């Protein structure tokens, strides 16, 4: 039988609380959820691999939604001038 990630109910409760706080920080400031969640959950879980997989499964769908929405809102004609090009000689 495969080993479970959550060995007790308190690990599950702590994980949910940490992810909620991390996502609240992300909503307010726009970044930092991974920094808070990985650092805090690494104290709870014996394997950092479990932390990374849990966060990937929770955060990836939300990040894909943000990326798709942002991609559609880009004004490509205006952003075209932002590409890097060599300086023009005087």
């Amino acid at each position: 039988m495969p080993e479970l990630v959550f060995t007790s109910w308190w690990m599950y409760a702590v994980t949910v609380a940490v992810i909620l706080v991390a996502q609240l920080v992300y909503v307010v400031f726009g970044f930092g959820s991974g920094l808070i969640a990985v650092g805090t959950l690494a104290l709870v879980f014996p394997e950092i691999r479990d932390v990374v997989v849990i966060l990937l499964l929770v955060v990836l769908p939300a990040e894909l939604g943000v990326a798709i929405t942002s991609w559609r809102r880009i004004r490509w004609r205006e952003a075209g001038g932002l590409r890097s090009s060599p300086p023009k000689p005087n």
Side-chain angles (χ1 to χ4, degrees):
M1 183 146 194
E3 184 180 332
L4 298 176
V5 175
F6 300 107
T7 56
S8 64
W9 66 270
W10 69 267
M11 280 182 80
Y12 182 75
V14 167
T15 302
V16 169
V18 167
I19 290 175
L20 284 175
V21 169
Q23 290 303 312
L24 178 66
V25 168
Y26 177 73
V27 167
V28 172
F29 297 108
F31 66 97
S33 66
L35 181 68
I36 291 171
V38 170
T40 308
L41 291 177
L43 299 172
V44 176
F45 288 94
E47 294 285 332
I48 193 72
R49 173 190 47 153
D50 296 335
V51 174
V52 172
V53 170
I54 289 170
L55 289 178
L56 178 69
L57 293 174
V58 171
V59 176
L60 187 62
E63 292 298 329
L64 286 174
V66 169
I68 290 169
T69 303
S70 298
W71 187 266
R72 290 179 184 155
R73 297 178 77 187
I74 295 174
R75 290 184 247 158
W76 290 102
R77 291 190 190 268
E78 294 176 20
L82 298 177
R83 67 178 175 265
S84 177
S85 60
K88 297 179 182 176
N90 291 333

